[in-house]
């Protein structure tokens, strides 16, 4: 099917997919106590109306022995019996095929702190949690096969076009495929043909319980990457055996499993674009008779077209790009440009796996209707007056002045302008704050999307952007009803740097690595020696910069005083950073405190031990940040109401800022004035 255009329909088992674009299974966290919620239905309706040809739902958990956190849907919840048809109609009425993904989590459990009895083919410990699951009995396998079939029949009766059997990413069925996790000696373990039998039994049972035109798709791990698991060649051979006994209609070849390679299944900004395509192309060539879906950090429409032309798939999945822009397929097929682009920060995934509704920093409206005017604290009084004998004066729109060009400032400026307020924004010479600096590094370049999205929202809403710093006179000259201070935070110079003798090493602050310095670095000769990056600010830029410095030095070391680096970020994001550091050859030392810098040496301590790093030629430092609130005094003296947002209120992380901002902004209500 190479060379086929994205617009070309594809008919499978009598079901026509109107184009080659697929929204793949993607957790959203919109369920309400395991039930399909109105937000769930509205989200899928919005996707379908955006023009995508096929939507595969988030994971639908099929059995009570696989109970997820409450923000995920269980297929067995009794309240969902009357909701499946509503969900199907929301998608199918837009001429979009809806496929429900059926899953049993097995031993995997992303949300900790709850009692959970994991199940697996064999009692082999889960590398994520250390939990040892209970091995399934033969009777339980029979019950599970029947459960998949009954769930598929329920969805077919509700109007779904098909189901996808999830046998990837370390969930139950994928464990059967791997000799590392499946050590059974019965009909479901041993040689590859027996390890794939449970999937064959499920496919056969689903076929028997559903109409003839009902689609059966499969998500299959092709590269587990853990050692001892099936290779791509072994996975291809197992799939050929499955095709001979119980063929499926569509297949998606996946990578990664719960454990050290979990980050491979949803590659973030530290990965190159489309990192699975070579594997998917090989798998498709080995099994040409089954249409396949290419997936994994395919960034836009042009990339999707190239994927089809390259032979990596018959269909192409756009997941996160449609989260930020659900109407992308319609615009793409019409030749228009996308509205927004994904930053691949995976905050969306992190929020859902933490038990929260999905949240996206690029698309704050993900799954939500446009917000109504919020109620909250009245910051200014309504001073509109009517004088006898004269017509009433038209109320003046509230004036809001925002200071700070980072994520909090850009978002606040856009939000107040979208309420209809007059907004002046002192954004500085380079909007974006820390995000703009981080995005200068090759590994974090996608973060520019987090700057562009709120900036464009603000521009569309009429924000008056000023590319300069705010000083008290210019700030007060805007006659604000409210000043929002999103002025960030800065780490002080640490003692070991302040007391270092001249010429001890080339010393720079992490925040000083701007575009000019990076250009100079690329032109400068390699200094050799050891480069040390002290990452004490929970800033991913420290790790990305270390990878950039590594080719210029004989040794590059990242030090952090924390026992675990970047604890505020998700486990999956940290796995991506570990992968990036390992590939660059960067050494990572945790629980280490720098105490003295001398010419060529850095003395560090960890616990009771002290050691000296030698041949140190470069030191990049960062330190815990302190809020930048120098403008609060003049505002208080002038009696101007002000609000601290983001790091200016409390130095924290980008996910926390994005989580807290909506509530902080909703708590402010400005009334029109005379």
């Amino acid at each position: 099917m190479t060379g086929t255009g994205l617009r070309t329909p594809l008919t499978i088992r009598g079901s026509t997919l109107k184009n080659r674009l697929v929204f793949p299974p993607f957790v959203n966290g919109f369920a309400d106590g395991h039930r399909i919620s109105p937000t769930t239905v509205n989200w899928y309706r919005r996707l379908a109306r955006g023009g995508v040809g096929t939507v595969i739902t988030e994971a639908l958990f099929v059995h009570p022995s696989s109970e997820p956190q409450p923000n995920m849907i269980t297929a067995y919840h009794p309240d969902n019996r009357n909701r499946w048809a509503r969900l199907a109609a929301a998608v199918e009425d837009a001429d979009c095929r809806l496929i429900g993904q059926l899953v049993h989590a097995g031993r995997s459990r992303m949300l900790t702190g709850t009692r959970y009895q994991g199940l697996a083919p064999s009692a082999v410990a889960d590398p994520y949690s250390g939990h040892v699951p209970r091995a399934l009995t033969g009777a339980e396998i029979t019950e599970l096969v029947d459960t998949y079939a009954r769930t598929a029949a329920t969805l077919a009766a509700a109007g779904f076009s098909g189901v996808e059997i999830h046998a990837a990413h370390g969930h139950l069925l994928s464990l059967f495929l791997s000799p590392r996790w499946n050590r059974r000696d019965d009909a479901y373990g041993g040689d590859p043909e027996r390890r794939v039998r449970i999937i064959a039994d499920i496919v056969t049972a689903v076929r028997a319980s559903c109409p003839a035109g009902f689609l059966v798709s499969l998500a299959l791990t092709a590269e587990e990457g853990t050692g001892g698991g099936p290779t791509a060649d072994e996975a291809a051979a197992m799939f050929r055996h499955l095709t001979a006994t119980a063929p499926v209609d569509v297949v998606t070849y996946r990578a990664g499993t719960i454990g050290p390679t979990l980050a491979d299944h949803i590659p973030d900004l530290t990965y190159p674009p489309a990192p699975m395509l070579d594997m998917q192309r090989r798998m498709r060539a080995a099994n040409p008779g089954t249409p396949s879906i290419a997936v994994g950090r395919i960034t836009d429409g042009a990339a999707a077209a190239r994927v089809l032309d390259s032979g990596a798939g018959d269909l192409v999945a756009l997941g996160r790009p449609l989260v930020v822009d659900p109407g992308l397929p319609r615009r793409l097929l019409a030749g228009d440009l996308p509205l927004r682009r994904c930053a691949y920060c995976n905050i969306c995934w992190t929020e859902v796996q933490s038990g929260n509704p999905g949240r996206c920093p690029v698309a704050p409206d993900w799954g939500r209707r446009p917000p109504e005017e919020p109620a909250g604290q009245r910051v200014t009084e309504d001073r509109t007056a009517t004088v006898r004998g004269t017509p009433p004066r038209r109320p003046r729109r509230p004036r809001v002045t925002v200071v700070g060009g980072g994520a909090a400032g850009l978002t606040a400026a856009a939000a107040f302008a979208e309420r209809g307020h007059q907004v002046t924004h002192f954004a500085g010479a380079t909007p974006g704050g820390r995000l703009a600096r981080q995005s200068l590094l090759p590994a974090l370049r996608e973060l520019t999307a987090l700057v562009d999205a709120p900036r464009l929202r603000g521009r569309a809403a009429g924000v008056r952007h000023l590319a300069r710093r705010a000083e008290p006179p210019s700030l007060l000259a805007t006659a604000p009803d409210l000043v929002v201070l999103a002025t960030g935070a800065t780490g002080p110079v640490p003692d070991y740097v302040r007391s270092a003798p001249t010429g001890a090493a080339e010393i720079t602050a992490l925040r000083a690595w701007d575009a000019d310095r990076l250009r100079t670095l690329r032109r400068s000769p390699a200094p050799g020696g050891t480069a040390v990056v002290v990452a004490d600010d929970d800033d991913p830029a420290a790790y990305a910069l270390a990878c950039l410095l590594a080719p210029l030095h004989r040794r590059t070391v990242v030090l952090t005083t924390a026992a675990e680096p970047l604890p505020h970020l998700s486990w999956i994001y940290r796995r991506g950073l570990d992968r990036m550091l390992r590939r660059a050859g960067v050494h990572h030392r945790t629980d280490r405190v720098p105490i003295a810098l001398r010419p060529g040496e850095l003395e560090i301590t960890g616990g009771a031990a002290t050691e000296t790093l030698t041949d140190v030629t470069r030191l990049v430092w960062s330190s815990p940040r302190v809020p930048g609130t120098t403008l609060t005094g003049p505002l208080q003296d002038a009696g101007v109401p002000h609000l601290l947002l983001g790091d200016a209120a409390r130095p924290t992380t980008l996910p926390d800022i994005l989580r807290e901002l909506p509530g902080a902004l909703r708590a402010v209500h400005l009334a029109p004035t005379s």
Side-chain angles (χ1 to χ4, degrees), residues 205-289:
V206 168
R207 295 278 193 217
S209 64
C210 296
F214 195 67
L215 299 176
V216 180
S217 179
L218 176 67
L220 179 72
T221 293
E223 284 184 350
E224 192 175 82
T226 58
T231 64
D233 289 342
E234 291 166 340
M238 281 192 287
F239 185 71
R240 282 195 297 272
H241 178 75
L242 177 68
T243 299
T245 56
V248 298
D249 302 307
V250 186
V251 62
T252 305
Y253 302 111
R254 295 279 191 163
T257 187
I258 292 179
T261 61
L262 181 60
D264 290 353
H265 95 285
I266 183 167
D268 65 14
L269 73 172
T270 65
Y271 284 71
M276 302 182 202
L277 287 192
D278 286 343
M279 173 270 287
Q280 291 167 345
R281 192 178 296 109
R282 295 196 311 272
M283 292 293 292
R284 180 173 178 266
N287 297 280

Side-chain angles (χ1 to χ4, degrees), residues 458-474:
R459 180 183 299 170
V463 171
R464 177 182 172 225
H465 285 290
L466 301 178
R468 62 177 187 267
R469 293 171 57 88
E471 301 295 341
S474 58

Side-chain angles (χ1 to χ4, degrees), residues 58-354:
E58 65 209 84
L60 308 176
F61 292 80
V62 298
H63 194 272
S65 61
S66 177
E67 181 180 356
Q69 52 250 43
N71 64 342
M72 298 183 182
I73 298 172
T74 55
Y76 52 85
H77 196 294
D79 288 355
N80 284 331
R81 291 172 186 164
N82 299 322
R83 304 185 187 196
W84 295 120
R86 197 178 313 155
L87 180 59
V91 175
E92 295 278 348
D93 287 355
D95 190 25
C96 176
R97 304 287 75 82
L98 181 62
I99 294 174
Q101 189 188 66
L102 307 185
V103 64
H104 190 296
R107 69 186 184 191
S108 63
R109 179 76 166 176
M110 304 307 297
L111 187 65
T112 58
T114 57
R115 296 183 63 185
Y116 180 67
Q117 174 61 65
L119 298 174
S122 305
V124 181
D126 172 23
Y128 178 82
S129 64
H131 168 73
V132 179
R134 179 175 63 79
L136 284 161
T137 67
E140 287 173 326
I141 291 176
T142 300
E143 178 189 354
L144 190 63
V145 170
D146 182 61
T147 298
Y148 272 88
R150 283 187 284 106
T151 304
T154 297
L155 298 186
F160 281 61
S161 288
V163 292
E164 177 173 86
I165 310 302
H166 193 345
H169 303 158
H171 296 309
L172 180 61
L173 297 183
S174 72
L175 299 178
F176 276 87
L177 303 176
S178 171
R180 179 173 181 178
W181 315 120
N182 182 353
R183 302 178 186 178
R184 304 176 72 95
D185 58 4
D186 61 4
Y188 295 97
D191 59 44
E193 289 77 11
R194 285 183 291 168
R195 294 201 306 271
V196 81
R197 176 178 169 177
I198 188 171
I199 299 175
D201 286 356
I202 290 171
V203 172
T204 300
V206 168
R207 295 278 193 217
S209 64
C210 296
F214 195 67
L215 299 176
V216 180
S217 179
L218 176 67
L220 179 72
T221 293
E223 284 184 350
E224 192 175 82
T226 58
T231 64
D233 289 342
E234 291 166 340
M238 281 192 287
F239 185 71
R240 282 195 297 272
H241 178 75
L242 177 68
T243 299
T245 56
V248 298
D249 302 307
V250 186
V251 62
T252 305
Y253 302 111
R254 295 279 191 163
T257 187
I258 292 179
T261 61
L262 181 60
D264 290 353
H265 95 285
I266 183 167
D268 65 14
L269 73 172
T270 65
Y271 284 71
M276 302 182 202
L277 287 192
D278 286 343
M279 173 270 287
Q280 291 167 345
R281 192 178 296 109
R282 295 196 311 272
M283 292 293 292
R284 180 173 178 266
N287 297 280
T290 304
S292 66
I293 304 172
V295 68
R297 195 149 141 52
I298 299 169
T299 55
D300 54 28
R306 289 195 298 271
V307 167
L308 290 184
D309 289 341
S310 74
D314 302 273
L315 299 141
V316 57
L318 296 175
R320 288 164 288 181
L322 266 60
V323 168
V324 302
D325 187 2
L328 176 62
R330 184 177 61 251
R331 277 185 285 278
L332 173 65
L333 298 176
D336 296 333
L337 294 175
L339 291 181
R340 301 181 285 207
R341 58 189 177 84
C342 179
Y344 294 96
C345 59
N346 278 354
I347 287 175
C348 52
W349 187 93
T350 302
E351 286 292 294
V352 176
Q353 297 297 342
S354 299

